[in-house]
Amino acid sequence: MHAQSLAALEENERAGLTEPASLHPVIDAGRCMGCGSCASACPEGNVLGLVAGKAALINATHCIGHGACKEACPFDAITLVFGTEKRGVDIPAVKPNFETNMPGIFIAGELGGMGLIRNAVEQGRQAIQSIAAYDGAVKDNQWQDVVIVGAGPAGFSASLGAMELGLRAVTIEQESLGGTVSHFPRGKLVMTAPVKLPLVGKVSFTETTKETLMAFWEKTEQETGVNINYGERLEEITPEAGGYLVRTSKASYRTRTVLLAIGRRGTPRKLGVEGESLSKVVYRLIDAEQYRGQHVLVVGGGDSALEAAVSVAEQPGTTVALSYRSGAFSRARDKNRKRIDEAVANGRLQVIFNSNVLSISESSVTIDQEGKTVELPNDAIIVSAGGILPTPFLQKTGIEVETHHGKT
């Protein structure tokens, strides 16, 4: 086991696959006794291993923040952190009860760094319990107890929790039930584990598709009668009389507390190049079949980009290229990297590393690859370059945002 772990670690270091995408473990070598409990507990398999008698993060890019390693360690040798020395991660500052520095404003789910569905659901459930116990200054029964922003995994769980606890609550969602999950590519496997959902109880999914999970949530929404205001966008949160005034695109609400259960993407990150305003440029894949018989470019190197590229490449008659600014897919899961390798080997996909889009026209796209200009015929472009954290909005609201560099 030691030799295999060391070989895997060295191979990943040579390939530049050393930066974890999200929450990940840091091992205290002074406390670690090399029992291997953390490695055995990890649901992803080979993220942790033993090197020189101590636990080590050998496959950093495979880690997606389950946190099972910390729970399994009998010597309290593991701390979970965000970011690394090389790559900082901006996370809003929250207390253990999910409250921010702004009294009465809480954050749960992806915005707080918890993108894993199971963790987001649990955070939504716990956050609404904290809100129910919150002793705010406002006692007016005309005010809402909570305005929940977002109906993704955390927001939906919180909405059910608010209903279960009898809170006066309003949930707004600018798009549709499921948040980011609803925009996953068709057939995407959603890794989940047993989780407690308010009003429902224990939900025992192991590995299921996006469609199955969405169908379950939609059925739960119908059966419980939980009310969610769709097509309503948050615009402003301002303090008022010991609580908050929440302005949306459709209404205003006075509320004791606010739960932000929105995604981290905020606004999709754009390329900033000539021609990006053309209608053929989109920022997420909705249906791969619409690209049949077309020349398609996917831009990005994370899981969303890789999944989009493979899904489109599977359509008859497509020509697909994947452009990424770095030299390795260090932010993507191993399963997706293997699918990319298979698509390349089968001639269905071209990967262009160390490249950037220079300009876009109606029928082509121009790319720079290490100083060399490449022009490709093009009918459609899918930009999956992540999003811009809504830091300006958070700061305007008064919420502190910290940059984490993996320090304990």
Side-chain angles (χ1 to χ4, degrees):
M1 181 176 182
H2 291 258
Q4 292 177 343
S5 296
L6 179 59
L9 178 61
E10 291 176 343
E11 180 181 349
N12 285 324
E13 288 177 342
R14 286 193 296 270
L17 302 175
T18 59
E19 295 295 309
S22 182
L23 190 70
H24 62 279
V26 169
I27 296 97
D28 183 338
R31 288 179 175 269
C32 178
M33 301 301 291
C35 68
S37 297
C38 55
S40 300
C42 179
E44 297 304 305
N46 60 346
V47 171
L48 289 156
L50 294 178
V51 175
K54 302 289 183 178
L57 187 62
I58 59 173
N59 282 304
T61 60
H62 295 202
C63 183
I64 57 174
H66 286 284
C69 54
K70 176 177 173 61
E71 296 176 8
C73 178
F75 306 106
D76 195 26
I78 292 179
T79 304
L80 300 177
V81 303
F82 291 100
T84 66
E85 291 183 4
K86 293 182 179 179
R87 184 179 62 85
V89 175
D90 289 338
I91 302 290
V94 296
K95 302 173 185 176
N97 68 342
F98 305 101
E99 188 178 16
T100 69
N101 62 291
M102 294 294 289
I105 298 184
F106 296 73
I107 287 177
E110 187 182 5
L111 181 61
M114 286 296 173
L116 195 66
I117 291 174
R118 173 175 60 86
N119 289 350
V121 168
E122 181 62 18
Q123 280 201 357
R125 185 182 71 83
Q126 292 181 13
I128 209 67
Q129 291 177 340
S130 296
I131 287 170
Y134 179 71
D135 187 22
V138 179
K139 303 298 182 184
D140 192 331
N141 289 334
Q142 300 301 312
W143 285 47
Q144 301 295 328
D145 289 317
V146 61
V147 171
I148 300 167
V149 185
F156 186 50
S157 176
S159 299
L160 293 172
M163 189 176 182
E164 183 176 63
L165 295 169
L167 300 180
R168 295 183 300 275
V170 172
T171 299
I172 63 172
E173 165 57 54
Q174 65 179 358
E175 294 185 341
S176 58
L177 178 66
T180 303
V181 177
S182 67
H183 298 303
F184 285 167
R186 183 184 302 176
K188 173 181 170 64
L189 287 178
V190 180
M191 300 300 296
T192 64
V195 66
K196 184 178 180 181
L197 196 63
L199 293 177
V200 177
K202 186 176 181 181
V203 180
S204 298
F205 284 128
T206 51
E207 183 176 274
T208 188
T209 65
K210 160 207 166 178
E211 287 77 13
T212 301
L213 185 60
M214 288 300 303
F216 171 75
W217 282 345
E218 290 164 1
K219 180 182 178 183
T220 300
E221 180 183 24
Q222 294 171 359
E223 291 181 346
T224 60
V226 64
N227 186 46
I228 299 172
N229 298 344
Y230 294 110
E232 188 166 353
R233 184 183 66 256
L234 173 65
E235 293 187 344
E236 188 177 34
I237 301 173
T238 54
E240 181 170 308
Y244 292 95
L245 178 64
V246 177
R247 292 190 178 90
T248 75
S249 56
K250 294 185 177 181
S252 294
Y253 306 96
R254 287 179 170 84
T255 180
R256 297 175 64 244
T257 65
V258 179
L259 175 60
L260 295 176
I262 58 180
R264 287 180 58 79
R265 284 177 177 257
T267 302
R269 180 173 285 109
K270 297 189 176 182
L271 303 177
V273 300
E274 180 183 352
E276 190 171 8
S277 60
L278 292 172
S279 61
K280 71 175 185 176
V281 181
V282 299
Y283 297 90
R284 63 170 177 257
L285 174 66
I286 296 177
D287 186 355
E289 291 185 0
Q290 74 182 84
Y291 297 105
R292 286 190 176 195
Q294 297 187 28
H295 298 294
V296 181
L297 174 70
V298 179
V299 181
D303 285 314
S304 295
L306 272 60
E307 288 163 3
V310 171
S311 296
V312 175
E314 291 173 347
Q315 303 307 310
T318 57
T319 301
V320 184
L322 176 58
S323 169
Y324 185 41
R325 62 184 178 181
S326 297
F329 297 122
S330 59
R331 296 186 296 114
R333 297 178 64 185
D334 186 56
K335 182 183 295 185
N336 286 328
R337 294 201 297 265
K338 288 180 179 177
R339 293 178 67 196
I340 288 291
D341 291 341
E342 291 172 1
V344 171
N346 293 332
R348 293 185 285 110
L349 177 66
Q350 174 188 8
V351 175
I352 310 174
F353 284 120
N354 301 308
S355 64
N356 293 282
V357 175
L358 292 177
S359 63
I360 302 166
S361 71
E362 289 284 357
S363 59
S364 67
V365 57
T366 304
I367 297 172
D368 173 79
Q369 184 182 28
E370 298 182 297
K372 179 183 177 182
T373 300
V374 179
E375 185 173 356
L376 301 174
N378 180 260
D379 301 303
I381 296 176
I382 304 168
V383 180
S384 296
I388 302 170
L389 183 70
T391 300
F393 169 78
L394 295 175
Q395 292 175 335
K396 180 181 178 182
T397 306
I399 297 171
E400 295 176 356
V401 177
E402 301 174 340
T403 301
H404 292 250
H405 286 278
K407 297 180 179 179
T408 60

